[in-house]
Amino acid sequence: MQAINVSIGFDRRLWAQDLAGSKAHAAMLVAQGILSAADGALIQGGLDTIRAEIEAGTFPFRDRYEDIHMNVEARLAELIGDPSGRLHTARSRNDQVALDFRLWVRSACDHAMAQLKDLQHALLERAEAEAGTLMPGFTHLQPAQPVTFGHHLMAYVEMFGRDAGRFADARARMNECPLGAAALAGSPFPIDRHATAAALGFDRPTANSLDSVSDRDFALEALSAASITATHLSRLAEELVIWVTPQFGFVGLSDAFTTGSSIMPQKRNPDAAELIRAKTGRIFGALTSLTMVMKGLPLAYSKDMQEDKVPVFEAFDSLDLALAAMAGMVRDLTPDRARMAAAAASGFSTATDLADWLVRTLDMPFRRAHHVTGAAVKRAEQLGVDLPALPLSELQAIEAGITADVYQVLTPERSVASRISYGGTAPAEVRRQVSLWKERLSDDKA
């Protein structure tokens, strides 16, 4: 029973939140005349001593006290005696753990948002430097149209911006204080729940005592945001893995973010990126795990909910590492601009530009222009050349109205420069989007 019941091995991570909640609760009890000032002072002093012991690594965490709450309570009794027992007035472990866990998840969301902001800054710095660097844009991992490396990186700035927004939304919804709900029905003591909520940085107290002790939506929503963030990290990690292969050779990573082989001395493996992909599975698993724990529980508290913490802790540990590693790799990578430019010019990547030219210049319906362009690509393949090298006579044999002016749109440089629509890949538009994002991130509300 002790083996299955004890949780101090993992919930000791809630010690700071547990102490903060206890200090706020004790202060409120004194203010409401429920606890004497003398006892309140002893309790506050004892809690400060416990904090110092934990920070110094001398606190006696003991399995026989089951969880962090009972460990703190037992140590407080050893330090100050009987007055320690008055701290639990108008409080239950049910609302205590709900508070501690909510405080921890709120802090984890804040940390994730700060890390996302740092990653966005890293991407912005790189995107600004590479706003004019050509690379192939892909669909189905097949060359599609030329884009710029800066534009490609800015796509991830957008993704991670949405991720930060999801964490912010989750934080706003979870910022209600369950302390004072007691076991499930509230308290008969004249407590001031608004005071404890304000002291702990919450917007308001929770409005229903049953929901207060049984709600874990805040953790599920945070895990959902973490899972989507992990998806985006994994997509970028996958691209880095592809880009550093000799077959692509678009970017290089230093020894700081790669490892060698035990048998093949020439290898430089992108292990950090690969591990980010793998940690995504841990984060997805955490969301599934907690969803399964909660799906069949009646109100209010059940011991099943003790299983809420481990998946959340593991998920945010993994996310913390993944975000830090990705920001490091973005700052570390070295693009091979010549290699990317050569790839951008291959694979008939300016075929759409030819079709657009036919529409603009010859007033050709796009579907016919598409057909003409397809014929031009087929002829270029037969001759073993790319579109910019296809002779004018060959183009005119397909469509007599084509003139030498067409070659002005068939280079990758001209192609990307022409994509001036809002959010397009034109270097000037990329730099404009970089500036807009820098402004957003410089605002504390971003």
Side-chain angles (χ1 to χ4, degrees), residues 18-32 34-35 43-44 47 86-92 95-96 99 179-181 187 189 191-192 195-196 199-200:
D18 197 69
L19 292 177
S22 290
K23 288 178 75 68
H25 184 66
M28 180 275 295
L29 292 177
V30 171
Q32 295 298 107
I34 301 169
L35 183 66
I43 289 170
Q44 295 288 357
L47 293 173
R86 300 186 186 280
L87 174 59
H88 211 53
T89 305
R91 186 175 74 169
S92 163
D95 63 339
Q96 193 175 358
L99 169 68
L179 187 60
S187 173
F189 292 92
I191 59 175
D192 185 349
T196 48
L200 293 165

PDB file of all heavy atoms in Angstrom, residues 18-32 34-35 43-44 47 86-92 95-96 99 179-181 187 189 191-192 195-196 199-200:
ATOM      1  N   ASP A  18       3.907  24.707  -2.663  1.00  0.00           N
ATOM      2  CA  ASP A  18       3.255  24.329  -1.411  1.00  0.00           C
ATOM      3  C   ASP A  18       3.543  25.346  -0.310  1.00  0.00           C
ATOM      4  O   ASP A  18       2.642  25.739   0.434  1.00  0.00           O
ATOM      5  CB  ASP A  18       3.725  22.942  -0.978  1.00  0.00           C
ATOM      6  CG  ASP A  18       2.801  22.328   0.055  1.00  0.00           C
ATOM      7  OD1 ASP A  18       1.661  21.984  -0.309  1.00  0.00           O
ATOM      8  OD2 ASP A  18       3.215  22.215   1.223  1.00  0.00           O
ATOM      9  N   LEU A  19       4.787  25.790  -0.239  1.00  0.00           N
ATOM     10  CA  LEU A  19       5.137  26.789   0.771  1.00  0.00           C
ATOM     11  C   LEU A  19       4.453  28.120   0.493  1.00  0.00           C
ATOM     12  O   LEU A  19       3.962  28.784   1.411  1.00  0.00           O
ATOM     13  CB  LEU A  19       6.654  26.971   0.819  1.00  0.00           C
ATOM     14  CG  LEU A  19       7.469  25.781   1.337  1.00  0.00           C
ATOM     15  CD1 LEU A  19       8.963  26.086   1.264  1.00  0.00           C
ATOM     16  CD2 LEU A  19       7.071  25.417   2.763  1.00  0.00           C
ATOM     17  N   ALA A  20       4.403  28.523  -0.779  1.00  0.00           N
ATOM     18  CA  ALA A  20       3.743  29.789  -1.124  1.00  0.00           C
ATOM     19  C   ALA A  20       2.267  29.750  -0.756  1.00  0.00           C
ATOM     20  O   ALA A  20       1.713  30.716  -0.199  1.00  0.00           O
ATOM     21  CB  ALA A  20       3.911  30.072  -2.615  1.00  0.00           C
ATOM     22  N   GLY A  21       1.606  28.626  -1.071  1.00  0.00           N
ATOM     23  CA  GLY A  21       0.196  28.501  -0.729  1.00  0.00           C
ATOM     24  C   GLY A  21      -0.044  28.521   0.771  1.00  0.00           C
ATOM     25  O   GLY A  21      -0.990  29.152   1.263  1.00  0.00           O
ATOM     26  N   SER A  22       0.833  27.846   1.524  1.00  0.00           N
ATOM     27  CA  SER A  22       0.686  27.809   2.979  1.00  0.00           C
ATOM     28  C   SER A  22       0.904  29.182   3.602  1.00  0.00           C
ATOM     29  O   SER A  22       0.197  29.580   4.536  1.00  0.00           O
ATOM     30  CB  SER A  22       1.665  26.793   3.575  1.00  0.00           C
ATOM     31  OG  SER A  22       1.278  25.478   3.235  1.00  0.00           O
ATOM     32  N   LYS A  23       1.881  29.917   3.093  1.00  0.00           N
ATOM     33  CA  LYS A  23       2.143  31.262   3.632  1.00  0.00           C
ATOM     34  C   LYS A  23       0.962  32.195   3.359  1.00  0.00           C
ATOM     35  O   LYS A  23       0.552  32.974   4.222  1.00  0.00           O
ATOM     36  CB  LYS A  23       3.446  31.816   3.037  1.00  0.00           C
ATOM     37  CG  LYS A  23       4.700  31.133   3.578  1.00  0.00           C
ATOM     38  CD  LYS A  23       5.971  31.661   2.931  1.00  0.00           C
ATOM     39  CE  LYS A  23       6.335  33.030   3.477  1.00  0.00           C
ATOM     40  NZ  LYS A  23       6.741  32.998   4.898  1.00  0.00           N
ATOM     41  N   ALA A  24       0.407  32.110   2.155  1.00  0.00           N
ATOM     42  CA  ALA A  24      -0.751  32.954   1.832  1.00  0.00           C
ATOM     43  C   ALA A  24      -1.955  32.566   2.688  1.00  0.00           C
ATOM     44  O   ALA A  24      -2.699  33.427   3.176  1.00  0.00           O
ATOM     45  CB  ALA A  24      -1.089  32.830   0.351  1.00  0.00           C
ATOM     46  N   HIS A  25      -2.150  31.265   2.881  1.00  0.00           N
ATOM     47  CA  HIS A  25      -3.278  30.786   3.684  1.00  0.00           C
ATOM     48  C   HIS A  25      -3.130  31.234   5.137  1.00  0.00           C
ATOM     49  O   HIS A  25      -4.099  31.730   5.756  1.00  0.00           O
ATOM     50  CB  HIS A  25      -3.351  29.256   3.598  1.00  0.00           C
ATOM     51  CG  HIS A  25      -4.530  28.663   4.296  1.00  0.00           C
ATOM     52  ND1 HIS A  25      -5.821  28.880   3.884  1.00  0.00           N
ATOM     53  CD2 HIS A  25      -4.612  27.849   5.387  1.00  0.00           C
ATOM     54  CE1 HIS A  25      -6.666  28.229   4.678  1.00  0.00           C
ATOM     55  NE2 HIS A  25      -5.952  27.595   5.607  1.00  0.00           N
ATOM     56  N   ALA A  26      -1.923  31.113   5.683  1.00  0.00           N
ATOM     57  CA  ALA A  26      -1.685  31.516   7.073  1.00  0.00           C
ATOM     58  C   ALA A  26      -1.913  33.009   7.256  1.00  0.00           C
ATOM     59  O   ALA A  26      -2.525  33.448   8.247  1.00  0.00           O
ATOM     60  CB  ALA A  26      -0.269  31.136   7.491  1.00  0.00           C
ATOM     61  N   ALA A  27      -1.439  33.803   6.315  1.00  0.00           N
ATOM     62  CA  ALA A  27      -1.625  35.254   6.410  1.00  0.00           C
ATOM     63  C   ALA A  27      -3.104  35.613   6.378  1.00  0.00           C
ATOM     64  O   ALA A  27      -3.569  36.500   7.111  1.00  0.00           O
ATOM     65  CB  ALA A  27      -0.877  35.940   5.275  1.00  0.00           C
ATOM     66  N   MET A  28      -3.854  34.909   5.520  1.00  0.00           N
ATOM     67  CA  MET A  28      -5.298  35.170   5.443  1.00  0.00           C
ATOM     68  C   MET A  28      -5.990  34.772   6.747  1.00  0.00           C
ATOM     69  O   MET A  28      -6.872  35.500   7.244  1.00  0.00           O
ATOM     70  CB  MET A  28      -5.897  34.402   4.260  1.00  0.00           C
ATOM     71  CG  MET A  28      -7.396  34.585   4.051  1.00  0.00           C
ATOM     72  SD  MET A  28      -8.417  33.466   5.064  1.00  0.00           S
ATOM     73  CE  MET A  28      -7.975  31.873   4.375  1.00  0.00           C
ATOM     74  N   LEU A  29      -5.618  33.638   7.337  1.00  0.00           N
ATOM     75  CA  LEU A  29      -6.226  33.207   8.594  1.00  0.00           C
ATOM     76  C   LEU A  29      -6.000  34.223   9.701  1.00  0.00           C
ATOM     77  O   LEU A  29      -6.906  34.509  10.501  1.00  0.00           O
ATOM     78  CB  LEU A  29      -5.661  31.841   9.012  1.00  0.00           C
ATOM     79  CG  LEU A  29      -6.025  30.630   8.135  1.00  0.00           C
ATOM     80  CD1 LEU A  29      -5.321  29.377   8.655  1.00  0.00           C
ATOM     81  CD2 LEU A  29      -7.538  30.409   8.089  1.00  0.00           C
ATOM     82  N   VAL A  30      -4.804  34.812   9.742  1.00  0.00           N
ATOM     83  CA  VAL A  30      -4.517  35.845  10.738  1.00  0.00           C
ATOM     84  C   VAL A  30      -5.369  37.084  10.467  1.00  0.00           C
ATOM     85  O   VAL A  30      -5.978  37.665  11.372  1.00  0.00           O
ATOM     86  CB  VAL A  30      -3.016  36.199  10.747  1.00  0.00           C
ATOM     87  CG1 VAL A  30      -2.756  37.433  11.617  1.00  0.00           C
ATOM     88  CG2 VAL A  30      -2.192  35.020  11.244  1.00  0.00           C
ATOM     89  N   ALA A  31      -5.428  37.501   9.210  1.00  0.00           N
ATOM     90  CA  ALA A  31      -6.191  38.703   8.850  1.00  0.00           C
ATOM     91  C   ALA A  31      -7.669  38.555   9.167  1.00  0.00           C
ATOM     92  O   ALA A  31      -8.354  39.532   9.511  1.00  0.00           O
ATOM     93  CB  ALA A  31      -6.005  39.011   7.367  1.00  0.00           C
ATOM     94  N   GLN A  32      -8.180  37.321   9.070  1.00  0.00           N
ATOM     95  CA  GLN A  32      -9.604  37.068   9.331  1.00  0.00           C
ATOM     96  C   GLN A  32      -9.884  36.756  10.794  1.00  0.00           C
ATOM     97  O   GLN A  32     -11.029  36.485  11.168  1.00  0.00           O
ATOM     98  CB  GLN A  32     -10.093  35.903   8.458  1.00  0.00           C
ATOM     99  CG  GLN A  32     -10.077  36.185   6.955  1.00  0.00           C
ATOM    100  CD  GLN A  32     -10.982  37.328   6.576  1.00  0.00           C
ATOM    101  OE1 GLN A  32     -10.503  38.416   6.246  1.00  0.00           O
ATOM    102  NE2 GLN A  32     -12.297  37.122   6.642  1.00  0.00           N
ATOM    103  N   ILE A  34      -8.981  34.158  12.411  1.00  0.00           N
ATOM    104  CA  ILE A  34      -9.143  32.715  12.614  1.00  0.00           C
ATOM    105  C   ILE A  34      -7.904  32.143  13.303  1.00  0.00           C
ATOM    106  O   ILE A  34      -7.980  31.153  14.039  1.00  0.00           O
ATOM    107  CB  ILE A  34      -9.396  32.013  11.262  1.00  0.00           C
ATOM    108  CG1 ILE A  34     -10.659  32.593  10.595  1.00  0.00           C
ATOM    109  CG2 ILE A  34      -9.515  30.508  11.421  1.00  0.00           C
ATOM    110  CD1 ILE A  34     -10.842  32.175   9.156  1.00  0.00           C
ATOM    111  N   LEU A  35      -6.778  32.786  13.091  1.00  0.00           N
ATOM    112  CA  LEU A  35      -5.494  32.364  13.651  1.00  0.00           C
ATOM    113  C   LEU A  35      -4.882  33.558  14.374  1.00  0.00           C
ATOM    114  O   LEU A  35      -4.946  34.684  13.862  1.00  0.00           O
ATOM    115  CB  LEU A  35      -4.578  31.892  12.512  1.00  0.00           C
ATOM    116  CG  LEU A  35      -3.199  31.342  12.843  1.00  0.00           C
ATOM    117  CD1 LEU A  35      -3.325  30.021  13.616  1.00  0.00           C
ATOM    118  CD2 LEU A  35      -2.405  31.105  11.553  1.00  0.00           C
ATOM    119  N   ILE A  43       4.239  30.134  12.416  1.00  0.00           N
ATOM    120  CA  ILE A  43       4.050  29.353  11.187  1.00  0.00           C
ATOM    121  C   ILE A  43       4.870  29.947  10.038  1.00  0.00           C
ATOM    122  O   ILE A  43       5.564  29.218   9.309  1.00  0.00           O
ATOM    123  CB  ILE A  43       2.549  29.285  10.822  1.00  0.00           C
ATOM    124  CG1 ILE A  43       1.818  28.368  11.819  1.00  0.00           C
ATOM    125  CG2 ILE A  43       2.352  28.786   9.396  1.00  0.00           C
ATOM    126  CD1 ILE A  43       0.301  28.419  11.714  1.00  0.00           C
ATOM    127  N   GLN A  44       4.809  31.259   9.877  1.00  0.00           N
ATOM    128  CA  GLN A  44       5.564  31.893   8.794  1.00  0.00           C
ATOM    129  C   GLN A  44       7.060  31.649   8.978  1.00  0.00           C
ATOM    130  O   GLN A  44       7.786  31.342   8.013  1.00  0.00           O
ATOM    131  CB  GLN A  44       5.272  33.398   8.754  1.00  0.00           C
ATOM    132  CG  GLN A  44       3.840  33.782   8.412  1.00  0.00           C
ATOM    133  CD  GLN A  44       3.487  33.546   6.948  1.00  0.00           C
ATOM    134  OE1 GLN A  44       4.321  33.147   6.143  1.00  0.00           O
ATOM    135  NE2 GLN A  44       2.225  33.803   6.591  1.00  0.00           N
ATOM    136  N   LEU A  47       7.863  28.009   8.099  1.00  0.00           N
ATOM    137  CA  LEU A  47       7.850  27.800   6.643  1.00  0.00           C
ATOM    138  C   LEU A  47       9.099  28.382   5.990  1.00  0.00           C
ATOM    139  O   LEU A  47       9.642  27.798   5.041  1.00  0.00           O
ATOM    140  CB  LEU A  47       6.582  28.410   6.040  1.00  0.00           C
ATOM    141  CG  LEU A  47       5.259  27.734   6.442  1.00  0.00           C
ATOM    142  CD1 LEU A  47       4.064  28.542   5.928  1.00  0.00           C
ATOM    143  CD2 LEU A  47       5.189  26.301   5.906  1.00  0.00           C
ATOM    144  N   ARG A  86      -2.536  24.329  13.412  1.00  0.00           N
ATOM    145  CA  ARG A  86      -3.576  25.314  13.089  1.00  0.00           C
ATOM    146  C   ARG A  86      -3.509  25.773  11.622  1.00  0.00           C
ATOM    147  O   ARG A  86      -4.455  26.372  11.114  1.00  0.00           O
ATOM    148  CB  ARG A  86      -3.447  26.526  14.011  1.00  0.00           C
ATOM    149  CG  ARG A  86      -3.586  26.179  15.485  1.00  0.00           C
ATOM    150  CD  ARG A  86      -3.606  27.427  16.349  1.00  0.00           C
ATOM    151  NE  ARG A  86      -3.603  27.081  17.768  1.00  0.00           N
ATOM    152  CZ  ARG A  86      -4.677  26.695  18.452  1.00  0.00           C
ATOM    153  NH1 ARG A  86      -5.840  26.617  17.830  1.00  0.00           N
ATOM    154  NH2 ARG A  86      -4.579  26.396  19.748  1.00  0.00           N
ATOM    155  N   LEU A  87      -2.395  25.482  10.954  1.00  0.00           N
ATOM    156  CA  LEU A  87      -2.251  25.920   9.553  1.00  0.00           C
ATOM    157  C   LEU A  87      -3.291  25.261   8.659  1.00  0.00           C
ATOM    158  O   LEU A  87      -3.720  25.855   7.657  1.00  0.00           O
ATOM    159  CB  LEU A  87      -0.832  25.594   9.054  1.00  0.00           C
ATOM    160  CG  LEU A  87      -0.543  25.855   7.572  1.00  0.00           C
ATOM    161  CD1 LEU A  87      -0.763  27.334   7.226  1.00  0.00           C
ATOM    162  CD2 LEU A  87       0.880  25.439   7.219  1.00  0.00           C
ATOM    163  N   HIS A  88      -3.696  24.049   9.007  1.00  0.00           N
ATOM    164  CA  HIS A  88      -4.610  23.321   8.119  1.00  0.00           C
ATOM    165  C   HIS A  88      -6.071  23.695   8.348  1.00  0.00           C
ATOM    166  O   HIS A  88      -6.972  23.115   7.735  1.00  0.00           O
ATOM    167  CB  HIS A  88      -4.416  21.812   8.303  1.00  0.00           C
ATOM    168  CG  HIS A  88      -4.673  21.024   7.050  1.00  0.00           C
ATOM    169  ND1 HIS A  88      -4.060  21.294   5.839  1.00  0.00           N
ATOM    170  CD2 HIS A  88      -5.507  19.967   6.818  1.00  0.00           C
ATOM    171  CE1 HIS A  88      -4.480  20.437   4.928  1.00  0.00           C
ATOM    172  NE2 HIS A  88      -5.368  19.616   5.489  1.00  0.00           N
ATOM    173  N   THR A  89      -6.314  24.667   9.214  1.00  0.00           N
ATOM    174  CA  THR A  89      -7.683  25.146   9.426  1.00  0.00           C
ATOM    175  C   THR A  89      -8.252  25.680   8.109  1.00  0.00           C
ATOM    176  O   THR A  89      -7.601  26.444   7.395  1.00  0.00           O
ATOM    177  CB  THR A  89      -7.692  26.275  10.473  1.00  0.00           C
ATOM    178  OG1 THR A  89      -7.062  25.802  11.674  1.00  0.00           O
ATOM    179  CG2 THR A  89      -9.121  26.719  10.776  1.00  0.00           C
ATOM    180  N   ALA A  90      -9.476  25.279   7.774  1.00  0.00           N
ATOM    181  CA  ALA A  90     -10.186  25.752   6.567  1.00  0.00           C
ATOM    182  C   ALA A  90      -9.478  25.358   5.279  1.00  0.00           C
ATOM    183  O   ALA A  90      -9.603  26.027   4.263  1.00  0.00           O
ATOM    184  CB  ALA A  90     -10.374  27.272   6.616  1.00  0.00           C
ATOM    185  N   ARG A  91      -8.743  24.248   5.336  1.00  0.00           N
ATOM    186  CA  ARG A  91      -8.026  23.793   4.145  1.00  0.00           C
ATOM    187  C   ARG A  91      -8.000  22.270   4.123  1.00  0.00           C
ATOM    188  O   ARG A  91      -8.016  21.626   5.167  1.00  0.00           O
ATOM    189  CB  ARG A  91      -6.598  24.341   4.161  1.00  0.00           C
ATOM    190  CG  ARG A  91      -5.796  24.054   2.912  1.00  0.00           C
ATOM    191  CD  ARG A  91      -4.426  24.720   2.945  1.00  0.00           C
ATOM    192  NE  ARG A  91      -3.493  24.067   3.860  1.00  0.00           N
ATOM    193  CZ  ARG A  91      -2.192  24.335   3.912  1.00  0.00           C
ATOM    194  NH1 ARG A  91      -1.675  25.253   3.114  1.00  0.00           N
ATOM    195  NH2 ARG A  91      -1.416  23.705   4.776  1.00  0.00           N
ATOM    196  N   SER A  92      -7.950  21.696   2.932  1.00  0.00           N
ATOM    197  CA  SER A  92      -7.838  20.246   2.748  1.00  0.00           C
ATOM    198  C   SER A  92      -6.658  19.975   1.839  1.00  0.00           C
ATOM    199  O   SER A  92      -6.211  20.855   1.091  1.00  0.00           O
ATOM    200  CB  SER A  92      -9.129  19.703   2.114  1.00  0.00           C
ATOM    201  OG  SER A  92      -8.933  18.413   1.561  1.00  0.00           O
ATOM    202  N   ASP A  95      -7.788  20.819  -1.917  1.00  0.00           N
ATOM    203  CA  ASP A  95      -7.598  22.144  -2.522  1.00  0.00           C
ATOM    204  C   ASP A  95      -6.121  22.556  -2.479  1.00  0.00           C
ATOM    205  O   ASP A  95      -5.653  23.342  -3.312  1.00  0.00           O
ATOM    206  CB  ASP A  95      -8.498  23.206  -1.889  1.00  0.00           C
ATOM    207  CG  ASP A  95      -8.240  23.455  -0.416  1.00  0.00           C
ATOM    208  OD1 ASP A  95      -7.657  22.589   0.252  1.00  0.00           O
ATOM    209  OD2 ASP A  95      -8.653  24.526   0.088  1.00  0.00           O
ATOM    210  N   GLN A  96      -5.373  21.977  -1.533  1.00  0.00           N
ATOM    211  CA  GLN A  96      -3.946  22.286  -1.447  1.00  0.00           C
ATOM    212  C   GLN A  96      -3.201  21.768  -2.675  1.00  0.00           C
ATOM    213  O   GLN A  96      -2.423  22.490  -3.299  1.00  0.00           O
ATOM    214  CB  GLN A  96      -3.378  21.656  -0.171  1.00  0.00           C
ATOM    215  CG  GLN A  96      -2.001  22.146   0.214  1.00  0.00           C
ATOM    216  CD  GLN A  96      -1.546  21.556   1.559  1.00  0.00           C
ATOM    217  OE1 GLN A  96      -2.284  20.820   2.205  1.00  0.00           O
ATOM    218  NE2 GLN A  96      -0.339  21.880   1.949  1.00  0.00           N
ATOM    219  N   LEU A  99      -4.161  23.638  -5.798  1.00  0.00           N
ATOM    220  CA  LEU A  99      -3.457  24.918  -5.853  1.00  0.00           C
ATOM    221  C   LEU A  99      -2.010  24.735  -6.274  1.00  0.00           C
ATOM    222  O   LEU A  99      -1.523  25.416  -7.191  1.00  0.00           O
ATOM    223  CB  LEU A  99      -3.503  25.598  -4.491  1.00  0.00           C
ATOM    224  CG  LEU A  99      -2.583  26.821  -4.336  1.00  0.00           C
ATOM    225  CD1 LEU A  99      -3.073  27.968  -5.208  1.00  0.00           C
ATOM    226  CD2 LEU A  99      -2.466  27.242  -2.882  1.00  0.00           C
ATOM    227  N   LEU A 179      -7.764  27.488  -3.771  1.00  0.00           N
ATOM    228  CA  LEU A 179      -7.580  27.438  -2.323  1.00  0.00           C
ATOM    229  C   LEU A 179      -8.814  27.980  -1.609  1.00  0.00           C
ATOM    230  O   LEU A 179      -9.319  29.050  -1.942  1.00  0.00           O
ATOM    231  CB  LEU A 179      -6.351  28.256  -1.934  1.00  0.00           C
ATOM    232  CG  LEU A 179      -5.911  28.184  -0.470  1.00  0.00           C
ATOM    233  CD1 LEU A 179      -5.559  26.756  -0.078  1.00  0.00           C
ATOM    234  CD2 LEU A 179      -4.736  29.114  -0.212  1.00  0.00           C
ATOM    235  N   GLY A 180      -9.278  27.222  -0.614  1.00  0.00           N
ATOM    236  CA  GLY A 180     -10.492  27.600   0.112  1.00  0.00           C
ATOM    237  C   GLY A 180     -11.679  26.748  -0.253  1.00  0.00           C
ATOM    238  O   GLY A 180     -12.722  26.796   0.411  1.00  0.00           O
ATOM    239  N   ALA A 181     -11.521  25.938  -1.329  1.00  0.00           N
ATOM    240  CA  ALA A 181     -12.588  24.985  -1.663  1.00  0.00           C
ATOM    241  C   ALA A 181     -12.623  23.850  -0.658  1.00  0.00           C
ATOM    242  O   ALA A 181     -13.627  23.128  -0.567  1.00  0.00           O
ATOM    243  CB  ALA A 181     -12.375  24.435  -3.066  1.00  0.00           C
ATOM    244  N   SER A 187     -15.742  25.955   3.039  1.00  0.00           N
ATOM    245  CA  SER A 187     -15.373  26.001   4.450  1.00  0.00           C
ATOM    246  C   SER A 187     -16.414  26.769   5.264  1.00  0.00           C
ATOM    247  O   SER A 187     -16.975  27.756   4.797  1.00  0.00           O
ATOM    248  CB  SER A 187     -14.018  26.702   4.604  1.00  0.00           C
ATOM    249  OG  SER A 187     -13.708  26.915   5.963  1.00  0.00           O
ATOM    250  N   PHE A 189     -15.553  28.380   7.918  1.00  0.00           N
ATOM    251  CA  PHE A 189     -14.831  29.484   8.530  1.00  0.00           C
ATOM    252  C   PHE A 189     -14.960  30.741   7.652  1.00  0.00           C
ATOM    253  O   PHE A 189     -15.115  30.646   6.425  1.00  0.00           O
ATOM    254  CB  PHE A 189     -13.355  29.128   8.708  1.00  0.00           C
ATOM    255  CG  PHE A 189     -13.109  28.053   9.722  1.00  0.00           C
ATOM    256  CD1 PHE A 189     -13.051  26.710   9.341  1.00  0.00           C
ATOM    257  CD2 PHE A 189     -12.946  28.363  11.064  1.00  0.00           C
ATOM    258  CE1 PHE A 189     -12.841  25.709  10.271  1.00  0.00           C
ATOM    259  CE2 PHE A 189     -12.727  27.370  12.009  1.00  0.00           C
ATOM    260  CZ  PHE A 189     -12.674  26.039  11.603  1.00  0.00           C
ATOM    261  N   ILE A 191     -13.341  32.642   5.809  1.00  0.00           N
ATOM    262  CA  ILE A 191     -12.102  32.855   5.057  1.00  0.00           C
ATOM    263  C   ILE A 191     -12.316  33.908   3.968  1.00  0.00           C
ATOM    264  O   ILE A 191     -13.452  34.186   3.555  1.00  0.00           O
ATOM    265  CB  ILE A 191     -11.593  31.536   4.428  1.00  0.00           C
ATOM    266  CG1 ILE A 191     -12.641  30.936   3.474  1.00  0.00           C
ATOM    267  CG2 ILE A 191     -11.208  30.546   5.511  1.00  0.00           C
ATOM    268  CD1 ILE A 191     -12.164  29.706   2.721  1.00  0.00           C
ATOM    269  N   ASP A 192     -11.225  34.458   3.494  1.00  0.00           N
ATOM    270  CA  ASP A 192     -11.262  35.453   2.412  1.00  0.00           C
ATOM    271  C   ASP A 192     -10.528  34.866   1.211  1.00  0.00           C
ATOM    272  O   ASP A 192      -9.319  34.992   1.078  1.00  0.00           O
ATOM    273  CB  ASP A 192     -10.607  36.755   2.873  1.00  0.00           C
ATOM    274  CG  ASP A 192     -10.728  37.871   1.836  1.00  0.00           C
ATOM    275  OD1 ASP A 192     -11.132  37.575   0.685  1.00  0.00           O
ATOM    276  OD2 ASP A 192     -10.391  39.026   2.166  1.00  0.00           O
ATOM    277  N   ALA A 195      -8.596  37.265  -1.030  1.00  0.00           N
ATOM    278  CA  ALA A 195      -7.294  37.704  -0.520  1.00  0.00           C
ATOM    279  C   ALA A 195      -6.211  36.704  -0.865  1.00  0.00           C
ATOM    280  O   ALA A 195      -5.110  37.079  -1.310  1.00  0.00           O
ATOM    281  CB  ALA A 195      -7.362  37.912   0.992  1.00  0.00           C
ATOM    282  N   THR A 196      -6.479  35.405  -0.667  1.00  0.00           N
ATOM    283  CA  THR A 196      -5.462  34.408  -0.991  1.00  0.00           C
ATOM    284  C   THR A 196      -5.226  34.343  -2.501  1.00  0.00           C
ATOM    285  O   THR A 196      -4.093  34.158  -2.950  1.00  0.00           O
ATOM    286  CB  THR A 196      -5.858  33.022  -0.454  1.00  0.00           C
ATOM    287  OG1 THR A 196      -7.217  32.738  -0.809  1.00  0.00           O
ATOM    288  CG2 THR A 196      -5.699  32.956   1.049  1.00  0.00           C
ATOM    289  N   ALA A 199      -2.998  37.257  -3.320  1.00  0.00           N
ATOM    290  CA  ALA A 199      -1.648  37.072  -2.786  1.00  0.00           C
ATOM    291  C   ALA A 199      -0.822  36.121  -3.639  1.00  0.00           C
ATOM    292  O   ALA A 199       0.404  36.243  -3.708  1.00  0.00           O
ATOM    293  CB  ALA A 199      -1.728  36.549  -1.351  1.00  0.00           C
ATOM    294  N   LEU A 200      -1.490  35.197  -4.306  1.00  0.00           N
ATOM    295  CA  LEU A 200      -0.790  34.201  -5.120  1.00  0.00           C
ATOM    296  C   LEU A 200      -0.800  34.540  -6.606  1.00  0.00           C
ATOM    297  O   LEU A 200      -0.405  33.718  -7.439  1.00  0.00           O
ATOM    298  CB  LEU A 200      -1.421  32.826  -4.888  1.00  0.00           C
ATOM    299  CG  LEU A 200      -1.214  32.275  -3.469  1.00  0.00           C
ATOM    300  CD1 LEU A 200      -2.160  31.112  -3.193  1.00  0.00           C
ATOM    301  CD2 LEU A 200       0.234  31.854  -3.263  1.00  0.00           C
TER     302      LEU A 200
END
